[in-house]
Amino acid sequence: MRNYYIAANWKMHMTVSEAVALAQDLVAKLGKSKERVMIAPPFTALAAVAQVIRGSSLVLGAQNMGPETKGAHTGEISPLMLKDLGVKAVILGHSERRHSYLETDELINRKVLLALEQELQPILCVGETLAEREAGKLEAVVGGQVREGLKGVSAAALATVTIAYEPVWAIGTGKTATPEDADAVHGYIRIVLTSLYGEAAAKAMVIQYGGSVKADNAAELMAKPNIDGALVGGASLKAETFVPIVSFR
Ligand code: 13P
Protein backbone atom coordinates (compact mmCIF):
# COMPACT_ATOMS: atom_id res chain seq x y z
CA MET A 1 0.00 0.00 0.00
CA ARG A 2 1.42 3.40 -0.91
CA ASN A 3 2.04 6.14 1.62
CA TYR A 4 0.50 9.48 0.88
CA TYR A 5 2.30 12.80 1.13
CA ILE A 6 0.09 15.45 2.67
CA ALA A 7 1.42 18.97 3.00
CA ALA A 8 -0.02 21.96 4.83
CA ASN A 9 0.58 25.36 3.28
CA TRP A 10 -0.30 27.93 5.94
CA LYS A 11 0.32 30.78 3.48
CA MET A 12 0.39 34.25 5.10
CA HIS A 13 -1.40 33.20 8.26
CA MET A 14 -0.35 32.60 11.86
CA THR A 15 1.61 34.65 14.34
CA VAL A 16 4.39 32.76 16.09
CA SER A 17 2.20 31.93 19.09
CA GLU A 18 -0.67 30.76 16.87
CA ALA A 19 1.72 28.65 14.81
CA VAL A 20 3.21 27.05 17.93
CA ALA A 21 -0.24 26.21 19.28
CA LEU A 22 -1.32 24.60 16.00
CA ALA A 23 1.95 22.70 15.64
CA GLN A 24 1.58 21.35 19.20
CA ASP A 25 -1.91 20.16 18.39
CA LEU A 26 -0.72 18.50 15.18
CA VAL A 27 2.17 16.75 16.91
CA ALA A 28 -0.26 15.36 19.48
CA LYS A 29 -2.71 14.18 16.84
CA LEU A 30 -0.50 13.31 13.87
CA GLY A 31 2.95 12.82 15.33
CA LYS A 32 2.79 9.11 14.58
CA SER A 33 0.78 9.22 11.36
CA LYS A 34 1.60 6.59 8.76
CA GLU A 35 1.31 9.22 6.04
CA ARG A 36 4.13 11.60 5.25
CA VAL A 37 3.04 14.96 6.66
CA MET A 38 4.74 18.28 6.00
CA ILE A 39 3.79 21.65 7.44
CA ALA A 40 4.89 24.92 5.89
CA PRO A 41 4.43 27.85 8.30
CA PRO A 42 5.35 31.39 7.29
CA PHE A 43 9.09 32.15 7.51
CA THR A 44 8.67 34.05 10.77
CA ALA A 45 7.33 30.96 12.56
CA LEU A 46 9.75 28.37 11.17
CA ALA A 47 12.19 28.47 14.08
CA ALA A 48 9.51 28.15 16.73
CA VAL A 49 7.62 25.40 14.87
CA ALA A 50 10.90 23.52 14.34
CA GLN A 51 11.28 23.26 18.13
CA VAL A 52 7.74 22.00 18.56
CA ILE A 53 7.90 19.26 15.93
CA ARG A 54 11.42 18.06 16.76
CA GLY A 55 11.37 14.31 17.39
CA SER A 56 7.96 13.81 15.73
CA SER A 57 7.39 12.47 12.24
CA LEU A 58 6.18 15.86 10.99
CA VAL A 59 8.44 17.44 8.38
CA LEU A 60 9.18 21.16 8.31
CA GLY A 61 8.66 22.93 5.00
CA ALA A 62 9.01 26.48 3.69
CA GLN A 63 6.57 28.18 1.33
CA ASN A 64 9.20 29.68 -0.95
CA MET A 65 12.88 30.57 -1.07
CA GLY A 66 15.19 32.92 -2.91
CA PRO A 67 17.19 31.77 -5.94
CA GLU A 68 20.62 32.48 -4.40
CA THR A 69 22.48 31.25 -1.32
CA LYS A 70 23.60 34.69 -0.09
CA GLY A 71 24.35 38.25 -1.09
CA ALA A 72 22.64 41.54 -1.72
CA HIS A 73 19.07 40.26 -2.16
CA THR A 74 16.92 42.41 0.09
CA GLY A 75 13.89 40.60 1.40
CA GLU A 76 14.88 37.14 0.17
CA ILE A 77 15.42 33.98 2.22
CA SER A 78 18.32 31.68 1.37
CA PRO A 79 18.12 27.89 1.32
CA LEU A 80 21.05 27.92 3.76
CA MET A 81 18.91 29.90 6.23
CA LEU A 82 16.07 27.41 5.80
CA LYS A 83 18.34 24.42 6.35
CA ASP A 84 19.78 26.10 9.42
CA LEU A 85 16.28 26.02 10.95
CA GLY A 86 15.66 22.37 10.14
CA VAL A 87 13.61 22.90 6.98
CA LYS A 88 13.60 19.80 4.75
CA ALA A 89 11.12 20.68 2.01
CA VAL A 90 10.22 23.80 0.06
CA ILE A 91 7.16 24.73 -1.98
CA LEU A 92 8.22 26.35 -5.25
CA GLY A 93 6.25 27.93 -8.07
CA HIS A 94 2.99 28.18 -6.16
CA SER A 95 0.37 29.83 -8.37
CA GLU A 96 0.21 32.75 -5.95
CA ARG A 97 3.95 33.29 -6.58
CA ARG A 98 3.46 32.88 -10.34
CA HIS A 99 0.43 35.15 -10.66
CA SER A 100 0.66 37.73 -7.86
CA TYR A 101 4.46 38.04 -7.82
CA LEU A 102 5.10 37.26 -11.48
CA GLU A 103 7.52 34.40 -10.94
CA THR A 104 8.50 32.89 -14.28
CA ASP A 105 9.22 29.28 -15.16
CA GLU A 106 12.86 30.27 -15.57
CA LEU A 107 13.08 31.69 -12.02
CA ILE A 108 11.20 28.73 -10.56
CA ASN A 109 13.58 26.34 -12.35
CA ARG A 110 16.58 28.15 -10.81
CA LYS A 111 15.01 27.70 -7.40
CA VAL A 112 14.31 24.00 -8.02
CA LEU A 113 17.93 23.39 -9.05
CA LEU A 114 19.27 25.34 -6.08
CA ALA A 115 16.96 23.53 -3.64
CA LEU A 116 18.20 20.19 -4.97
CA GLU A 117 21.81 21.29 -4.79
CA GLN A 118 21.17 22.22 -1.14
CA GLU A 119 19.37 18.94 -0.46
CA LEU A 120 16.00 20.52 0.18
CA GLN A 121 13.07 18.56 -1.26
CA PRO A 122 11.14 20.77 -3.68
CA ILE A 123 7.41 20.62 -4.21
CA LEU A 124 7.04 22.06 -7.70
CA CYS A 125 3.54 23.53 -8.13
CA VAL A 126 1.86 23.61 -11.52
CA GLY A 127 -1.65 24.43 -12.65
CA GLU A 128 -3.77 26.22 -15.20
CA THR A 129 -6.10 29.20 -14.80
CA LEU A 130 -9.77 28.89 -15.68
CA ALA A 131 -9.21 30.96 -18.84
CA GLU A 132 -6.39 28.64 -19.92
CA ARG A 133 -8.53 25.55 -19.27
CA GLU A 134 -11.47 26.99 -21.18
CA ALA A 135 -9.19 27.92 -24.08
CA GLY A 136 -8.08 24.28 -24.33
CA LYS A 137 -4.57 25.09 -23.16
CA LEU A 138 -4.50 22.91 -20.04
CA GLU A 139 -1.96 20.40 -21.36
CA ALA A 140 0.26 23.04 -22.95
CA VAL A 141 0.33 25.11 -19.75
CA VAL A 142 0.77 22.29 -17.24
CA GLY A 143 3.13 20.33 -19.50
CA GLY A 144 5.19 23.46 -20.09
CA GLN A 145 5.41 24.23 -16.36
CA VAL A 146 6.58 20.66 -15.65
CA ARG A 147 9.17 20.67 -18.46
CA GLU A 148 10.51 24.14 -17.69
CA GLY A 149 10.44 23.63 -13.92
CA LEU A 150 12.48 20.43 -14.17
CA LYS A 151 14.98 21.60 -16.77
CA GLY A 152 18.44 20.32 -15.81
CA VAL A 153 17.12 18.08 -13.02
CA SER A 154 18.91 14.73 -13.19
CA ALA A 155 17.07 11.43 -12.98
CA ALA A 156 18.75 10.79 -9.61
CA ALA A 157 17.64 14.15 -8.20
CA LEU A 158 14.10 13.70 -9.50
CA ALA A 159 13.46 11.11 -6.82
CA THR A 160 13.34 13.85 -4.17
CA VAL A 161 11.04 16.14 -6.17
CA THR A 162 7.28 16.20 -5.64
CA ILE A 163 4.87 17.80 -8.10
CA ALA A 164 1.70 19.48 -6.87
CA TYR A 165 -1.08 19.96 -9.40
CA GLU A 166 -3.14 22.93 -8.24
CA PRO A 167 -5.67 24.21 -10.76
CA VAL A 168 -5.69 27.95 -10.04
CA TRP A 169 -9.49 28.13 -10.24
CA ALA A 170 -9.81 25.58 -7.43
CA ILE A 171 -7.57 27.36 -4.91
CA GLY A 172 -9.46 28.92 -2.02
CA THR A 173 -12.66 28.94 -4.04
CA GLY A 174 -14.40 25.88 -2.64
CA LYS A 175 -14.38 24.46 -6.19
CA THR A 176 -12.47 21.22 -6.38
CA ALA A 177 -11.52 19.55 -9.61
CA THR A 178 -13.56 16.35 -9.73
CA PRO A 179 -11.42 13.38 -8.72
CA GLU A 180 -11.69 12.15 -12.33
CA ASP A 181 -10.55 15.50 -13.76
CA ALA A 182 -7.67 15.78 -11.32
CA ASP A 183 -6.61 12.19 -11.96
CA ALA A 184 -6.62 12.80 -15.70
CA VAL A 185 -4.28 15.79 -15.35
CA HIS A 186 -2.03 13.83 -13.00
CA GLY A 187 -1.98 11.08 -15.63
CA TYR A 188 -0.98 13.63 -18.25
CA ILE A 189 1.83 14.88 -15.97
CA ARG A 190 3.07 11.28 -15.80
CA ILE A 191 3.09 11.13 -19.60
CA VAL A 192 5.25 14.26 -19.67
CA LEU A 193 7.53 12.77 -16.99
CA THR A 194 7.77 9.52 -18.97
CA SER A 195 8.96 11.45 -22.00
CA LEU A 196 11.60 13.16 -19.85
CA TYR A 197 12.75 10.42 -17.47
CA GLY A 198 11.20 7.12 -18.57
CA GLU A 199 8.27 5.12 -17.28
CA ALA A 200 9.70 3.83 -14.00
CA ALA A 201 10.65 7.32 -12.77
CA ALA A 202 7.30 8.73 -13.89
CA LYS A 203 5.42 6.01 -12.02
CA ALA A 204 7.44 6.57 -8.87
CA MET A 205 6.85 10.33 -8.87
CA VAL A 206 4.68 11.66 -6.05
CA ILE A 207 2.02 13.98 -7.46
CA GLN A 208 -0.11 15.88 -4.96
CA TYR A 209 -3.43 17.51 -5.72
CA GLY A 210 -4.20 20.93 -4.27
CA GLY A 211 -7.25 23.17 -4.44
CA SER A 212 -10.04 23.16 -1.85
CA VAL A 213 -9.06 19.79 -0.41
CA LYS A 214 -11.27 19.11 2.62
CA ALA A 215 -12.02 16.19 4.91
CA ASP A 216 -15.07 15.32 2.84
CA ASN A 217 -13.32 15.06 -0.54
CA ALA A 218 -9.89 13.79 0.54
CA ALA A 219 -10.69 10.08 0.44
CA GLU A 220 -12.28 10.30 -3.01
CA LEU A 221 -9.33 12.22 -4.43
CA MET A 222 -6.72 10.00 -2.84
CA ALA A 223 -8.44 6.85 -4.12
CA LYS A 224 -7.47 7.81 -7.66
CA PRO A 225 -4.47 5.95 -9.05
CA ASN A 226 -2.49 9.01 -10.04
CA ILE A 227 -3.12 11.11 -6.90
CA ASP A 228 -0.45 10.47 -4.26
CA GLY A 229 -1.24 13.15 -1.71
CA ALA A 230 -2.52 16.64 -1.16
CA LEU A 231 -1.27 20.19 -0.75
CA VAL A 232 -3.78 21.81 1.58
CA GLY A 233 -4.31 25.52 2.13
CA GLY A 234 -7.36 26.78 4.03
CA ALA A 235 -8.23 23.48 5.67
CA SER A 236 -4.70 23.17 7.06
CA LEU A 237 -5.12 26.16 9.36
CA LYS A 238 -6.96 24.24 12.08
CA ALA A 239 -6.23 20.81 13.52
CA GLU A 240 -9.93 19.99 13.40
CA THR A 241 -10.03 20.41 9.61
CA PHE A 242 -6.50 19.17 8.76
CA VAL A 243 -6.27 16.06 10.93
CA PRO A 244 -9.25 14.35 9.23
CA ILE A 245 -7.64 14.95 5.82
CA VAL A 246 -4.45 13.20 6.92
CA SER A 247 -6.51 10.46 8.58
CA PHE A 248 -8.72 9.94 5.53
CA ARG A 249 -8.24 6.15 5.64
P1 13P B 1 -6.91 25.85 -0.60
O1 13P B 1 -6.82 24.47 0.02
O2 13P B 1 -7.22 26.92 0.38
O3 13P B 1 -7.78 25.84 -1.82
O4 13P B 1 -5.41 26.20 -1.11
C1 13P B 1 -4.73 25.29 -1.90
C2 13P B 1 -3.34 25.74 -2.02
O5 13P B 1 -3.06 26.74 -2.68
C3 13P B 1 -2.31 24.98 -1.30
O6 13P B 1 -1.03 25.35 -1.72
Side-chain angles (χ1 to χ4, degrees):
M1 193 181 288
R2 56 190 172 146
N3 275 40
Y4 291 85
Y5 182 14
I6 300 174
N9 176 5
W10 293 356
K11 305 194 180 181
M12 199 174 71
H13 297 284
M14 304 279 169
T15 61
V16 174
S17 58
E18 288 166 345
V20 164
L22 177 54
Q24 284 167 338
D25 214 359
L26 295 180
V27 168
K29 291 173 176 145
L30 296 175
K32 294 192 177 74
S33 169
K34 58 180 177 289
E35 318 300 350
R36 190 170 153 205
V37 182
M38 181 273 257
I39 53 178
F43 291 128
T44 47
L46 282 170
V49 169
Q51 298 300 321
V52 175
I53 68 175
R54 177 173 295 170
S56 80
S57 63
L58 299 182
V59 170
L60 189 63
Q63 299 174 18
N64 186 23
M65 69 174 213
E68 314 284 344
T69 51
K70 62 180 172 186
H73 301 285
T74 302
E76 289 293 344
I77 302 283
S78 152
L80 302 180
M81 298 167 183
L82 297 177
K83 286 204 304 187
D84 192 35
L85 296 177
V87 169
K88 303 281 186 241
V90 59
I91 300 169
L92 296 173
H94 192 280
S95 67
E96 287 146 20
R97 301 299 319 171
R98 292 177 186 269
H99 296 285
S100 307
Y101 300 96
L102 308 182
E103 290 199 7
T104 61
D105 282 322
E106 191 267 330
L107 176 65
I108 294 159
N109 176 241
R110 276 170 56 204
K111 294 185 183 189
V112 169
L113 294 174
L114 181 61
L116 290 170
E117 192 183 299
Q118 294 298 329
E119 297 181 337
L120 289 169
Q121 302 161 4
I123 296 181
L124 170 64
C125 301
V126 300
E128 82 290 359
T129 63
L130 188 58
E132 288 164 343
R133 176 174 274 249
E134 286 175 350
K137 294 183 182 153
L138 190 161
E139 293 192 349
V141 170
V142 171
Q145 290 171 341
V146 170
R147 279 193 197 89
E148 296 300 313
L150 295 177
K151 214 170 237 176
V153 173
S154 69
L158 186 76
T160 64
V161 179
T162 297
I163 291 184
Y165 169 59
E166 299 203 307
V168 179
W169 47 271
I171 296 177
T173 57
K175 286 186 200 152
T176 327
T178 65
E180 291 69 29
D181 266 356
D183 191 60
V185 181
H186 286 218
Y188 175 70
I189 292 170
R190 279 193 220 281
I191 291 172
V192 175
L193 292 169
T194 301
S195 73
L196 296 172
Y197 296 97
E199 203 178 328
K203 254 193 185 157
M205 189 85 195
V206 174
I207 308 180
Q208 297 172 323
Y209 170 78
S212 299
V213 175
K214 304 273 183 294
D216 60 9
N217 58 26
E220 243 191 319
L221 286 161
M222 242 78 84
K224 292 291 173 196
N226 287 303
I227 302 181
D228 309 309
L231 181 53
V232 186
S236 74
L237 295 173
K238 286 184 185 159
E240 69 207 58
T241 47
F242 186 59
V243 171
I245 294 176
V246 178
S247 321
F248 73 94
R249 59 173 169 170

